[in-house]
Amino acid sequence: MYKLFFQLVFKRMDPEKAHYLAFRWIRLAARTPVLRTLVAAVLAPRHKELRTEALGLRMHGPFGLAAGFDKNAIAIDGMAMLGFDHVEIGTVTGEAQPGNPKKRLFRLVPDRALINRMGFNNEGSAAVAARLHARVPVFRTVVGVNIGKTKVVEEADAAADYVKSTERLAAHADYLVVNVSSPNTPGLRNLQATESLRPLLTAVREAADRTVTDRRVPLLVKIAPDLADEDVDAVADLAVELGLDGIIATNTTIAREGLGLGSAPALVQETGGLSGAPLKERSLEVLRRLYARVGDRIVLVGVGGIENAEDAWQRILAGATLIQGYSAFIYEGPFYARAIHRGLAARLAASPYATLAEAVGADHRKATTR
Ligand SMILES: Cc1cc2nc3c(=O)[nH]c(=O)nc-3n(C[C@H](O)[C@H](O)[C@H](O)COP(=O)(O)O)c2cc1C
């Protein structure tokens, strides 16, 4: 049904316009009491066995909405209504900015992929903080806040920009993510080098602790799939050393591997980050590498090309406690989260593991005890 609708309506529209249209419907439904209760009953049924505790937070399940969909925190309840167990808003930058010129979002339908060069279009940390402050939650959901660098801020001054966002947003964040991995802000990904990352993460940690004194806000870093393997190891070691709470793997890729199902060559050549199905293999590989390095000392969040329950289950076995999706939501539609929950519950029931937590990293344990 959604697939037919996608073919007839969304596919003919400019992808960014389709995004805002869908967004409007979701927000409208979430504001209408009877409708939102009905939609949530159908799309977000609870599976007790999927209850997840991570980052010191209790969630209905492990599957959340990846950053970038709700940059300005305007549809948290709408996304919870659709069954996402946590919603990561952002990326929010220190200052408001318009992002890159349009067109900046492209659908590679045959490859079930997207290319985007949005460039952190967002209302800025002050406006988003005010919105989160005023929010009266309808659905109880975990809200992650993903922060990044304002484009005009020099790389050398990046830490101050992240600190500004942290001071404004940390109080409203169930967890905070330092995004150093989007390919669409010049120089941003250089911040993944440990000599830049160490002072940045330390400054954000200190700012969060200064601002929020009644609890410890969990801090995560989000990394690119394009890091060399030894750089993935270096970030993992640094995260452990600094007492970080988690690593999100991965952001979009600048590589163009894994395509070839017939997307137009002109589209494939668009500049930006590739997400969706072609990213699956590398994101999984990075996750496996991270788990081999950090085990369960740090929460790993698996994201990149998760299209269905089997993909989600594979990430859990590979070491992810939490999982996220974005691109497949565009292709699969409103039943995306429900299908993942159902399939995960079925896989868990058929597995030798009593809980999801027991399944986390099982692949690695099997490989090392062989
Ligand atoms: C249009 C679009 C915008 C995105 N914006 C952000 C962003 O602002 N911050 C961020 O950390 N990740 C952003 N992402 C990356 C996603 O959060 C996710 O890491 C990536 O798309 C891989 O997951 P997927 O294959 O399920 O889409 C964006 C992705 C897309 C497709």
Side-chain angles (χ1 to χ4, degrees), residues 80-94:
M81 171 189 79
L82 297 182
F84 291 96
D85 301 312
H86 65 272
V87 177
E88 190 170 308
I89 62 129
T91 292
V92 183
T93 53

Side-chain angles (χ1 to χ4, degrees), residues 66-69 71 88 90-91 105 114 116 118 120 146 179 182 222 250-252 275-277 279 303-306 324-328 336:
F69 192 84
K71 291 189 190 272
E88 190 170 308
T91 292
L105 176 60
L114 300 173
N116 91 84
M118 305 299 288
F120 293 164
N146 177 309
N179 178 12
S182 291
K222 183 166 178 179
T250 66
N251 215 310
T252 58
S275 57
L279 184 56
V303 53
I306 295 180
Q324 298 180 332
Y326 182 152
S327 302
Y336 175 46

